Structures are given as C-alpha cells and as structure tokens.
C-alpha cells in the first residue's frame, strides 16, 4: 500500500497520470468537435496547443490520443522533435508506420509504391533531399501525398487519423518549419471524391487530425513565417493553470470512496485523503499541473498508511520544494530581459497598483505605451498576465514565487 508500484501521480509527458485534473474543454473539443466533423467528412483545422513549461501540453494531447486510439483511430506515436532535428525525417518515419497500419505497403498500385519509396527517402535523408536535388517530388510534397493516401484509407475504414508533433518550437530552421507546416496543412485541407448511397458524388475532407504542442513562442514564429495561412489551418490554444476547483474534483475519489490499490494479499483496498490534505495540495500547486503531480507523488511516498494526511502532504513537499522552485525559475529565465523586468515590477506592486502606468513608471518610462509590447506578449503569447485597467497574474505559481514565501509552507510574506 502506497509504494512506488501503485502511485497514481506521475510526472513527465511520457506517461499519463491516473489522477487527471482539468482540461475538460480541450478533451471535449476532440470528442464533440474534431472527431465527429472528421468522421462526417467536414473540414476541421489542426490544433496547436502551446503554453509555458509544466502546464501539461504534451500530456493533454497524449490523453486525447489514448482516447482516440481506444475508439479505433489510427494514431502516431508522440513525434518529439529534439533541437536541431530535421522535422520532415521524424514526421515521415511516423507516417510510414501509419501507412503500414493502413495496409498501404501491400498495395499493388504503382502510385502508392512510388509515394512510399519517396517518403522512405525522406525518412532517411529529410530536407537534405531538396539540397541534393534528388530526382522526384520535393520531400514535403511526397509527405503530403502519403498523408492523403493514409487519409483516403481511413475514409474506407471509417476511422480517423491523429498525428501528434511535440516540442514543435525546436524547429529553428525557417525553411524546414515552412515545409512541415505546408505539408501538414495541405493534407488536412485536401479533399477526395466519394460516392454517396443515393448515387450522388461529393467532395469530402480527409479525416486527419494534427496536434502540434510546444512553447508559446512557436505560434508567434509560425504566424510570422506563413502568415494568415497558418491561422486558417491551425487553431491555437494557449494553456493556463487549471482552477482550484478542478484540482479538488480530481482528488474527490480519494475522499470517497478512496483510491483503489492492491493490498499485497491478492485483494484490493482503498487509500483515502483527508479534506485538509486536499486543501494543502491545492494551496501548494497553484493550479500548475506539473506541481500538482509533483506534490501528489511526494505526499504518496511520505507514509504507508491507508490515509494521506495534511502532514504527509507537507512532509512530501519538503522533499519536492527545491524541484518546484527550479521549475518556476526556468519559466522566469526563459523570459526576455524586458518581459522579466515587467513581471518583477508588477509583482513588487500592490495588486491595486498593478496598472500599466504605474509599472511603466517603475521601469523608468514616461508613458504606459512604452511597456505595451511587453505586456501584450506576456498576455496574448505567453498567457502569464491578464491586461486590463489593473493587471493580474494568470500564472499563479509564478505570482506566488515572486510575491510570497512560497514554496515554504506558512503565512505568506512579501519577498
């Protein structure tokens, strides 16, 4: 009971945590919008989900992918792009796996065989094929052709295709990014002719869903590269911290009926959590999914009994707080100098004094307009602050780090 083999809290984007909090609207977007429209042959944009580290972007799409796969969708593995990697190679490799699953490798159609051969070259050499002028279509065109073939096979199978590309901000080569986005965009906007039961013929969109996940600056970079085309083909969501109510809801099973775990004797038992333990977890993580999983994981390990107490939560947090601080500091360190300065001056002011004019004056500017570009990016691109007559923090863990004694437990004090 309460050991490493049954801990339901999980850190990292490679595994899905059993204790899931929030993101209901994004999950419903797949079940209620994307999947039904694609199955009906209606056009639907790809999804770009961005946010600061720790907000659960990759985990969210992995959960969507797991749900899709359970419903029979053809799903690629999570295509994670390391810094400097050739994105066409990575995506081509994943799409080739889909092609195998769709049975295209066994096709006797010459056109399909030629497309597969070309995409295998892309998987081996990537964008360098363009530089080498290897005979055949451009790499991104070949990739599009194979995606269309996979999508056509999905129509016949009455299913959908889901492609997840993670760490998309790591594509720093502008030409490579442009080619990748055009290839994916052309595939999700392609149509094929289909026969209807009444003998009519119509054009239908292919059932291909593309999810891109990464840091906030990606959407800004993609828009600058492809302009309105990117916005037309991909809908962008900037994730924010989840609400305290969503965390309480995720922890409700621990209160009643209890979280089911093996008892070590071949039967099942329940681990419960006291109400004040739940409130302690809520207070410590400030709506940050990474911190929620971190605090929950350490609270689980802080004891062995069937009840997780507030003392367990606080004891576990003692072991976790240095990692929690490092996580928030990484977010701060990512900010350009002026954006970080804006955040720090905003945090130093009393909530009622957090106006553009007051912050600008603290930064040494004569007019609020001088800080407008920093404030706008922190709001619309990064999702860290909310602009208005008075500014407020949307990223509550960052606010807690800058304005209180967090991660220490106790009465908040101004830093």
């Amino acid at each position: 009971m309460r050991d490493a083999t049954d801990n339901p809290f999980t850190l990292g984007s490679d595994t899905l945590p059993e204790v899931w909090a929030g993101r209901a609207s994004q999950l419903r977007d797949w079940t209620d919008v994307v999947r039904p429209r694609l199955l009906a042959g209606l056009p639907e944009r790809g999804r770009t989900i961005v946010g600061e580290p720790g907000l659960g972007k990759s985990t969210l799409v992995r959960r969507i992918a797991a749900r899709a796969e359970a419903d029979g969708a053809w799903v690629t593995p999570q295509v994670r792009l390391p810094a400097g990697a050739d994105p066409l190679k990575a995506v081509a490799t994943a799409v080739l796996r889909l092609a195998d699953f769709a049975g295209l490798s066994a096709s006797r159609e010459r056109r399909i065989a030629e497309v597969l051969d070309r995409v295998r070259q892309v998987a081996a050499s990537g964008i360098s094929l363009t530089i080498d002028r290897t005979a055949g279509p451009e790499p991104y065109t070949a990739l599009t052709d194979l995606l269309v073939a996979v999508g056509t096979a999905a129509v016949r199978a009455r299913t959908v295709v889901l492609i997840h590309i993670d760490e998309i901000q790591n594509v720093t080569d502008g030409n490579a990014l442009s080619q990748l986005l055009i290839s994916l965009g052309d595939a999700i906007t392609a149509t094929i002719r289909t026969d209807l039961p009444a003998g009519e013929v119509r054009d239908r969109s292919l059932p291909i869903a593309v999810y891109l996940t990464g840091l906030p600056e990606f959407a800004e970079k993609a828009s600058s590269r492809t302009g309105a085309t990117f916005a037309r083909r991909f809908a962008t969501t900037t994730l924010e911290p989840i609400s305290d109510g969503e965390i309480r809801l995720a922890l409700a099973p621990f209160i009643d009926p209890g979280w089911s775990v093996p008892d070590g004797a071949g039967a099942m038992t329940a681990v419960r959590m006291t109400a004040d333990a739940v409130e302690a977890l809520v207070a410590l993580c400030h709506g940050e999914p990474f911190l929620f999983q971190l605090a929950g994981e350490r609270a689980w390990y802080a004891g062995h009994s069937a009840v997780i107490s507030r003392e367990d939560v606080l004891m576990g947090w003692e072991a976790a707080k240095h990692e929690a601080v490092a996580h928030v500091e990484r977010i701060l360190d990512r900010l350009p100098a002026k954006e970080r300065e804006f955040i720090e001056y905003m945090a130093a002011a009393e909530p009622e004094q957090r106006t553009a004019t007051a912050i600008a004056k603290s930064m040494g500017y004569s007019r609020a307009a001088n800080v407008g570009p920093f404030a706008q990016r922190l709001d619309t691109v990064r999702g860290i602050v909310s602009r208005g007559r008075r500014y407020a923090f949307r990223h509550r863990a960052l606010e807690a780090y800058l304005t209180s004694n967090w991660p220490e437990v106790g009465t908040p004090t101004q830093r």
Side-chain angles (χ1 to χ4, degrees):
M1 188 183 300
R2 286 176 65 183
D3 61 24
T5 64
D6 55 23
N7 193 330
F9 297 93
T10 309
L11 293 174
S13 61
D14 291 330
T15 54
L16 286 175
E18 293 182 65
V19 184
W20 181 267
R23 307 301 184 214
S25 62
Q26 288 81 21
L27 294 170
R28 284 197 303 271
D29 179 58
W30 166 257
T31 57
D32 297 351
V33 179
V34 178
R35 183 175 181 271
R37 286 183 60 84
L38 292 179
L39 286 172
L42 300 173
E44 186 57 43
R45 289 188 292 173
R47 297 297 192 261
T48 303
I49 298 178
V50 297
E52 292 298 321
L55 289 176
K57 306 173 291 294
S58 304
T59 306
L60 168 62
V61 178
R62 282 182 62 81
R63 188 173 179 91
I64 291 172
R67 180 172 294 181
E69 197 162 23
D71 290 334
W74 298 347
V75 179
T76 65
Q78 180 182 11
V79 183
R80 180 173 293 150
L81 300 177
D86 185 327
L88 290 184
K89 290 177 65 173
V91 175
T93 300
V95 176
L96 283 169
R97 293 178 184 174
L98 284 180
D100 288 341
F101 192 81
L104 296 183
S105 299
S107 173
R108 296 182 180 181
E109 188 178 342
R110 180 177 177 181
R111 182 185 64 84
I112 296 295
E114 290 175 349
V115 168
L116 285 169
D117 286 343
R118 184 57 173 169
V119 176
R120 290 187 186 107
Q121 294 175 27
V122 176
S125 301
I127 202 169
S128 64
L129 284 179
T130 301
I131 300 171
D132 294 340
R133 302 297 181 191
T134 304
E138 291 279 4
Y140 75 92
T141 303
L143 181 59
T144 302
D145 290 342
L146 184 56
L147 282 167
V148 169
V150 170
T152 302
V155 171
R156 292 194 294 267
R158 300 182 182 275
T159 189
V160 298
V161 175
L162 190 151
I163 299 167
H164 176 203
I165 302 174
D166 193 22
E167 305 290 359
I168 187 68
Q169 79 282 345
N170 284 336
V171 184
T172 56
D173 184 300
N175 292 329
L177 178 61
S178 177
Q179 291 190 29
L180 176 64
L181 294 179
I182 288 173
S183 177
L184 296 170
D186 285 352
I188 62 179
T189 55
T191 59
I192 60 171
R193 303 283 284 176
T194 58
D195 296 325
L196 298 178
E200 297 179 354
V201 178
R202 67 150 177 152
D203 289 333
R204 62 154 294 157
S205 295
L206 295 176
I208 301 175
V210 176
Y211 281 81
L212 309 176
T213 50
L215 296 175
E217 51 267 31
F218 163 72
E220 189 177 43
K221 179 170 64 175
S223 296
S224 68
R225 289 285 180 185
T226 61
T229 302
F230 177 73
R232 286 198 306 268
R233 293 180 166 186
F234 290 88
T236 298
T237 297
T238 302
L239 293 187
E240 300 180 15
I242 54 184
S243 71
D244 290 349
E246 289 171 318
I247 294 176
R248 292 187 183 99
L249 182 62
L251 294 174
F254 285 90
I255 294 180
D256 184 28
W259 193 268
S260 182
V261 297
D263 66 358
M268 302 297 289
T269 187
V271 173
R272 291 180 169 80
M273 190 177 293
T274 64
D276 56 353
V278 168
E279 291 308 311
L281 273 172
V282 169
L284 289 171
C285 69
H286 294 285
E288 189 89 350
F290 173 81
L291 296 178
F292 171 57
Q293 296 294 332
L294 176 64
E297 177 191 69
R298 299 303 173 86
W300 186 273
Y301 290 141
H304 300 283
S305 73
V307 177
I308 299 175
S309 65
R310 183 175 187 274
E311 289 69 29
D312 287 336
V313 172
L314 301 185
M315 185 184 302
W317 185 249
E318 279 298 311
K321 65 184 181 183
H322 296 296
E323 187 174 358
V325 167
H327 165 69
V328 175
E329 287 178 341
R330 278 194 297 271
I331 297 171
L332 270 178
D333 291 342
R334 281 184 7 87
L335 299 178
K338 286 298 182 181
E339 290 180 32
R340 177 165 182 165
E341 186 180 356
F342 184 97
I343 285 290
E344 290 173 341
Y345 277 110
M346 177 178 163
E350 294 296 328
E352 62 272 12
Q353 298 299 319
R354 291 174 181 167
T355 65
T357 300
I359 297 169
K361 183 176 180 181
S362 298
M363 294 177 69
Y365 295 110
S366 59
R367 297 184 306 135
N370 295 124
V371 300
F374 318 138
Q376 181 182 26
R377 293 193 81 251
L378 287 165
D379 182 0
T380 60
V381 176
R382 302 190 184 280
I384 289 177
V385 306
S386 292
R387 291 175 296 169
R389 195 169 70 88
R390 289 189 180 88
Y391 283 41
F393 280 95
R394 287 152 74 183
H395 199 291
R396 293 183 284 128
L398 193 58
E399 178 183 24
Y401 174 76
L402 291 171
T403 64
S404 75
N405 66 345
W406 184 94
E408 301 300 331
V409 178
T411 305
T413 58
Q414 191 75 22
R415 283 187 184 268

